[in-house]
Amino acid sequence: RLSFVDLVTGEETPLVVNGERYTLLGEAVLYYERGLNRMMLAEADGSTVEHPFMQPSASTRRIDWLLSPDHKMIAWTLTEGSTEALTTSTSTARIDGTEARVVFSDGPRDAIRALPVGFSPDFTTLYMDFQPEGFSDFIPFPQYAGLFAVGVSSGRWAYIPGEPSCFCGAGFGKGLL
């Protein structure tokens, strides 16, 4: 149940959805709708619409996304294939869908998928993690297995220093990793 509250009038607009991984996006809430296999936007007026450009295909096993802290950029990864042969395709775009491009493709890998975890402040680098399939379903907070950096323009990637090392927490922010 999502509740949108008008801070001036106090009026509340409730909305019941069957989703997961809710993310504030402007004046809407971005989420994955399980039953529909669609990325959706819940609007403040109580309506829902499909996200205009970030959508899984019929063969997508999982979609992961990351919104930049300033809400200017979004990255998303589509994971496909069988557990023994997972492939991932990662794209970035401005929040309005412009400048959309695939920045990283990987696989097949045995039970390992890639997912976005942070942007560099200038958006030239996307930090990602190689994550065991299903691992995040059993942990109470994000942990990372093999952090790496991808050049958004070049698509070249490399592990960050000291990776892969452990299932550990990490923090991402301006001038911080």
Side-chain angles (χ1 to χ4, degrees):
R1 178 184 167 110
L2 300 173
S3 294
F4 293 91
V5 178
D6 183 313
L7 296 177
V8 175
T9 66
E11 181 181 342
E12 181 178 336
T13 304
L15 179 63
V16 176
V17 297
N18 181 25
E20 62 183 53
R21 297 178 278 148
Y22 301 94
T23 305
L24 290 175
L25 183 61
E27 296 198 14
V29 175
L30 173 68
Y31 66 99
Y32 173 72
E33 177 80 31
R34 292 182 203 113
L36 300 175
N37 188 34
R38 305 305 290 161
M39 293 298 300
M40 302 296 289
L41 292 167
E43 305 280 347
D45 65 2
S47 65
T48 59
V49 296
E50 287 190 3
H51 188 275
F53 61 87
M54 187 176 73
Q55 291 295 340
S57 70
S59 61
T60 300
R61 293 173 56 99
R62 182 175 172 97
I63 182 170
D64 293 286
W65 64 91
L66 168 76
L67 186 61
S68 66
D70 62 3
H71 291 209
K72 290 182 181 177
M73 296 290 290
I74 194 162
W76 67 99
T77 297
L78 303 175
T79 301
E80 298 185 350
S82 67
T83 302
E84 297 79 28
L86 294 176
T87 61
T88 53
S89 176
T90 305
S91 300
T92 62
R94 292 198 167 278
I95 207 66
D96 63 3
T98 60
E99 298 180 33
R101 61 181 161 197
V102 175
V103 298
F104 181 72
S105 295
D106 184 66
R109 290 181 186 255
D110 187 8
I112 301 290
R113 63 187 172 86
L115 68 149
V117 295
F119 281 102
S120 65
D122 62 1
F123 304 115
T124 61
T125 303
L126 178 64
Y127 296 100
M128 299 186 65
D129 187 44
F130 286 124
Q131 186 95 168
E133 177 69 1
F135 179 71
S136 62
D137 297 337
F138 300 103
I139 56 174
F141 57 88
Q143 293 185 33
Y144 305 103
L147 291 167
F148 63 101
V150 175
V152 171
S153 294
S154 70
R156 287 190 285 259
W157 72 275
Y159 283 110
I160 63 171
E163 288 292 316
S165 62
C166 64
F167 290 111
C168 305
F172 297 88
K174 191 170 186 174
L176 170 72
L177 170 60

